[in-house]
Amino acid sequence: MKSKTEEILSNSKNILIGSEAIRNRIRELAQTISQDYCGKIPVFIGVLNGSFLFFADLIRELTIDCEVDFVKISSYGNSTKSSGKIKILKGLDCDIRGRDVIVVEDIIDSGLSVNFLRKWIGEHKPGSLRFVSLLIKEGAAEVSYECEYVGFRIPNKFVVGYGLDYAQLYRNLPGIYIMNSVPEHSEKKER
Ligand code: IMP
Ligand code: MG
């Protein structure tokens, strides 16, 4: 019997962004960030769990010095739509006061998480604060938000792979895939 991973991999019409396109775009993003932060030592804050692969690949393409930290937030209840109620499951370990901070997200959907993080991290008084997201869903914003660095703008569909999950599965897929049948009510979803 095929695993769910094999099922998605074997259906080529599910693929939205392949691993090589991801690698190339990340290299470009890392070059831009390295130029913009030349001579500085920013702290990259990964938003767990979804950003872990993007985070790891992005920082390995940087030519500047950097530090890393991680936060974990959750807002999805029993649904694929954000509940809007965001909880901090893991806070910061390092002191970011006065530091240049870049928050690394996997995907921006409603925009609620980014706005929540901008406010919450901003309260720790960083010297500067920017966001980089691998993906932005076009036409999905429920609130206006800012994201300084964007990998790809994608259609408003539920996607999995390259760190992104559906009910905790599919994070291991090497590319980004469209999930065609997503039941309205799923397992509790964490970022
Ligand atoms: P937002 O607060 O609605 O912008 O939601 C952002 C978070 O929800 C992302 O960081 C993801 O963890 C999760 N998310 C949103 N859309 C998707 C998707 O299509 N697939 C997997 N996770 C998603
Ligand atoms: Mg996320």
Side-chain angles (χ1 to χ4, degrees), residues 89-127:
L89 303 178
K90 184 216 166 288
L92 290 166
D93 290 326
C94 73
D95 182 5
I96 58 165
R97 180 173 287 267
R99 301 292 305 272
D100 294 304
V101 169
I102 302 174
V103 179
V104 183
E105 264 284 21
D106 51 357
I107 185 166
I108 303 177
D109 185 357
S110 68
L112 293 167
S113 305
V114 163
N115 280 357
F116 171 85
L117 285 168
R118 197 179 280 280
K119 185 166 177 287
W120 180 68
I121 292 175
E123 283 163 7
H124 292 74
K125 301 277 175 264

Side-chain angles (χ1 to χ4, degrees), residues 49-53 106 160-165 170-173 191:
N49 293 335
S51 75
F52 79 109
L53 289 179
D106 51 357
V160 295
Y162 195 71
L164 288 100
D165 75 306
Y170 309 112
R171 295 194 197 272
N172 54 318
L173 291 167
R191 262 112 228 276

Side-chain angles (χ1 to χ4, degrees), residues 34-129:
S34 296
Q35 282 162 12
D36 291 355
Y37 288 81
C38 181
K40 298 179 174 166
I41 307 178
V43 184
F44 285 80
I45 299 177
V47 184
L48 296 171
N49 293 335
S51 75
F52 79 109
L53 289 179
F54 175 45
F55 188 96
D57 287 345
L58 180 71
I59 66 162
R60 282 184 290 182
E61 293 288 347
L62 295 170
T63 51
I64 48 167
D65 296 333
C66 67
E67 294 178 23
V68 306
D69 198 358
F70 297 92
V71 295
K72 185 164 182 168
I73 58 173
S74 168
S75 80
Y76 281 28
N78 293 323
S79 152
T80 52
K81 285 287 339 145
S82 175
S83 66
K85 291 194 199 78
I86 297 172
K87 277 192 309 198
I88 298 163
L89 303 178
K90 184 216 166 288
L92 290 166
D93 290 326
C94 73
D95 182 5
I96 58 165
R97 180 173 287 267
R99 301 292 305 272
D100 294 304
V101 169
I102 302 174
V103 179
V104 183
E105 264 284 21
D106 51 357
I107 185 166
I108 303 177
D109 185 357
S110 68
L112 293 167
S113 305
V114 163
N115 280 357
F116 171 85
L117 285 168
R118 197 179 280 280
K119 185 166 177 287
W120 180 68
I121 292 175
E123 283 163 7
H124 292 74
K125 301 277 175 264
S128 71
L129 178 58

